[in-house]
Amino acid sequence: MKRVEASAWAPLAARVFRALWIAQLVSNTGSWMQTVGAQWLLVGHSAALVTLVQTAASLPVVLFALPSGVLADRYDRRSVILAAQFAMLVVSTALTVLAFQDALTAPLLLSLTFLLGCGTALMGPAWQAIQPELVERNQLGQAAALGAVNMNLARAVGPALGGALVAAAGAGWVFAFNALSYLGIAAVLLLWKRPRVQRPPAGDERLMAAVLAGRRYVWHAPGVRRVLVRTLLFIPGGAALWSLLPLVASRSLGLGSGGYGLLLGAVGIGAVSGAFVLPRIRRVLGANGTLAGGAVVFAVCLAVLAVVHSPWIAAASLLPAGLAWIGVLSTLNAAIQQRLPGWVRARGLAFYLVVFQGGQALTAPLWGALADGLGLTVSLLTGTVLLLAAAVSVRRWPLHTTAGIDPQLSDHWPTPPLVFEPGPADGPVLVSLTYQVAPGDQAAFTDRMRDLARSRRRTGALTWGLYQDGRRPERFTENYLVASWSEHLAQHHGRLTATDRHIEERVRRLLVPDTHPEVTHAFDASAGPLVTATADQDPASIAEA
């Protein structure tokens, strides 16, 4: 047991990770205090307006996470995080001043909450993508769990402190603490002596092209796509708790802001305690069992809140809900971190954040409208049904295994031998490879080429095709189109991983012994030739150059 606990907390041995973890705990505590203050200022209004606090905080992630992911992949991730911290400091300061002047109307509160959410959207992909620089790859699972522990430890402390402070001194002091809490992360990042990080060349890739490259990678990475599916199935039901808990506290349990903070604290305590038992749970149930079990536990919690009116029973039911929440989220986060290579990591994580935060942002007003129309009991039981359906669906759509997945960079393609130097924007480029397949292996070859097709598309291919020679059936030609020469060079020297190399090696094992694919690079010549061959040039010497 001691060995497991040491493994679970191992990332904290890294000095920078530990310092950022502590600073993040202070910042998250401030964020939860701010959430309680904002929601409680609106409790006297309609249920839909209360739930809009969560929408205002989460919607910016849907709108801006993908461009933020591009920024984090193209520019220094520490600088991106620092910019977000100082921007949120300015917005929080404005919120504090308005609260102390008693000038904070509901529209203004939601607008400033939206701006804080924009800062979170800017920071999120860069923060997630920087984690592999702080810990070893084999500790990413523990680091993800500790990140969830951090958030939920803040949830255990922040709401209670926020509720008490709102009751004792007003919401202005809660907002003031949140403003100061951003300084800790900024200080650690400024003092971090970060090693130089080599980035693959981005060429002339524009913002929308970079977003589309990230989307293309995610779409053609089955393991990443499955993580997003599992997130999408869990979040709508899970969001019911966070959207409706303020209303459960005030309308069903008759609690004030302090009592609401204690309910959120119970969730946090359950999540923190989960850090001690999650390694054992995952070892027994596996990743998919943890996802199914977490959804069932969360569903039971919602059912309890729907039918009981005792604050103590409600708080007791929220303890295992916290454990379930951290179990599901850390499992999903670790699963996607382990699958993404460095060149597209922030963009891939941005898609995850869009699904995670966007699911909460889009469903929160629906839960509020349902509570206004049919009541809290019906709303909570509806969330229960959705979570049970998510648990059952794990059998149909489980997470894929990570066996054989290695996202480390692999620079194994040679520089293309050309007789002229293309410009970075020249293109599109048609890449053709001709294979001599061993007799009897054609069916296995075409089957393995499906994996290679996904590899080509993940790294930049716009179209892909495989053709068999009608006269010599052992000859197959693979064609794929890349948008520009710079995109193809990025394939050569910045995007291929050890997994891609392994896929290529499996294909080449089926070729005729002592043969290699014949590779050609063709450029768009519809407007005229790019280079003119002379009579004294030997084509064979050109091919061997």
Side-chain angles (χ1 to χ4, degrees):
M1 181 64 183
K2 289 182 179 179
R3 181 184 63 82
V4 172
E5 289 180 4
S7 176
W9 300 94
L12 290 175
R15 182 177 60 84
V16 178
F17 180 89
R18 183 174 63 252
L20 279 174
W21 192 90
I22 294 171
Q24 185 190 25
L25 177 62
V26 176
S27 182
N28 284 339
T29 300
S31 297
W32 277 108
M33 292 172 68
Q34 140 99 26
T35 299
V36 170
Q39 288 181 323
W40 209 254
L41 284 176
L42 299 176
V43 159
H45 298 76
S46 69
L49 192 60
V50 174
T51 57
L52 280 178
V53 172
Q54 184 172 345
T55 300
S58 302
L59 185 59
V61 177
V62 181
L63 301 176
F64 306 122
L66 296 180
S68 298
V70 173
L71 292 175
D73 277 334
R74 291 172 62 93
Y75 301 105
D76 180 65
R77 288 165 182 164
R78 174 169 61 177
S79 299
V80 173
I81 298 173
L82 282 170
Q85 293 297 305
F86 287 118
M88 289 188 287
L89 172 62
V90 171
V91 175
S92 294
T93 301
L95 192 60
T96 302
V97 171
L98 290 170
F100 279 128
Q101 292 180 347
D102 201 22
L104 198 56
T105 63
L108 196 54
L109 174 61
L110 291 173
S111 299
L112 291 172
T113 301
F114 179 85
L115 291 178
L116 285 175
C118 292
T120 302
L122 176 62
M123 184 186 78
W127 181 270
Q128 295 284 348
I130 212 171
Q131 299 305 304
E133 298 181 37
L134 307 176
V135 300
E136 299 294 331
R137 183 172 181 266
N138 60 3
Q139 294 182 352
L140 285 175
Q142 296 95 316
L146 285 172
V149 167
N150 190 301
M151 175 60 74
N152 286 282
L153 184 59
R155 182 183 284 124
V157 176
L161 290 177
L165 195 54
V166 168
W173 290 102
V174 170
F175 300 147
F177 180 88
N178 185 47
L180 294 174
S181 71
Y182 295 115
L183 296 175
I185 292 177
V188 174
L189 290 173
L190 289 171
L191 294 173
W192 177 21
K193 296 179 180 179
R194 184 187 183 199
R196 181 178 296 273
V197 179
Q198 183 178 3
R199 294 188 178 279
D204 60 349
E205 190 177 42
R206 297 182 182 275
L207 175 64
M208 185 52 62
V211 171
L212 292 176
R215 187 205 65 81
R216 186 168 57 241
Y217 184 93
V218 168
W219 183 255
H220 295 289
V224 174
R225 200 166 65 242
R226 183 57 57 84
V227 174
L228 299 182
V229 169
R230 294 269 23 117
T231 306
L232 186 62
L233 290 171
F234 175 77
I235 286 302
L241 178 65
W242 311 119
S243 301
L244 300 176
L245 193 58
L247 303 175
V248 171
S250 61
R251 299 182 183 180
S252 179
L253 303 178
L255 299 176
S257 61
Y260 169 52
L262 291 175
L263 292 180
L264 284 175
V267 181
I269 292 171
V272 173
S273 64
F276 295 94
V277 298
L278 269 179
R280 176 178 293 181
I281 292 174
R282 286 202 188 97
R283 190 168 61 247
V284 174
L285 299 180
N288 289 301
T290 302
L291 294 179
V296 170
V297 171
F298 220 74
V300 171
C301 169
L302 290 183
V304 171
L305 293 177
V307 298
V308 305
H309 300 284
S310 166
W312 295 109
I313 297 177
S317 71
L318 290 171
L319 293 171
L323 169 60
W325 183 259
I326 187 179
V328 171
L329 263 59
S330 63
T331 299
L332 294 171
N333 189 281
I336 199 166
Q337 286 269 15
Q338 291 168 350
R339 288 169 167 83
L340 291 171
W343 71 271
V344 75
R345 181 178 296 125
R347 277 168 281 184
L349 288 165
F351 277 95
Y352 168 72
L353 290 174
V354 165
V355 175
F356 175 69
Q357 296 280 12
Q360 296 186 75
L362 296 176
T363 57
L366 298 180
W367 289 121
L370 189 63
D372 276 338
L374 300 179
L376 273 175
T377 299
V378 172
S379 301
L380 291 166
L381 291 177
T382 302
T384 299
V385 172
L386 290 177
L387 286 166
L388 292 176
V392 172
S393 71
V394 172
R395 185 176 181 86
R396 176 65 179 84
W397 298 297
L399 291 179
H400 297 319
T401 178
T402 56
I405 300 295
D406 186 353
Q408 295 301 310
L409 179 68
S410 179
D411 193 359
H412 61 276
W413 282 6
T415 300
L418 304 178
V419 297
F420 73 101
E421 184 65 31
D426 285 347
V429 182
L430 178 65
V431 184
S432 301
L433 296 91
T434 301
Y435 304 88
Q436 302 280 346
V437 182
D441 285 335
Q442 282 88 351
F445 174 81
T446 57
D447 183 61
R448 294 184 183 184
M449 287 297 287
R450 294 189 187 98
D451 290 334
L452 187 60
R454 283 192 286 267
S455 170
R456 305 295 198 213
R457 292 180 183 274
R458 282 196 299 268
T459 55
L462 301 176
T463 63
W464 182 92
L466 181 65
Y467 307 88
Q468 186 174 17
D469 194 315
R471 187 170 64 89
R472 299 174 58 186
E474 75 280 3
R475 287 172 58 92
F476 288 79
T477 299
E478 174 196 9
N479 290 332
Y480 64 91
L481 194 69
V482 185
S484 66
W485 184 240
S486 64
E487 275 282 291
H488 186 54
L489 288 182
Q491 284 184 306
H492 272 262
H493 304 301
R495 294 182 178 178
L496 293 175
T497 67
T499 301
D500 298 313
R501 185 182 68 241
H502 175 67
I503 292 171
E504 294 174 17
E505 290 170 349
R506 292 185 69 244
V507 167
R508 296 189 183 196
R509 292 192 194 108
L510 301 178
L511 302 185
V512 172
D514 300 323
T515 66
H516 300 280
E518 300 174 11
V519 186
T520 62
H521 298 78
F523 294 79
D524 180 18
S526 58
L530 281 78
V531 63
T532 303
T534 60
D536 59 347
Q537 281 182 311
D538 180 6
S541 66
I542 293 175
E544 294 172 0

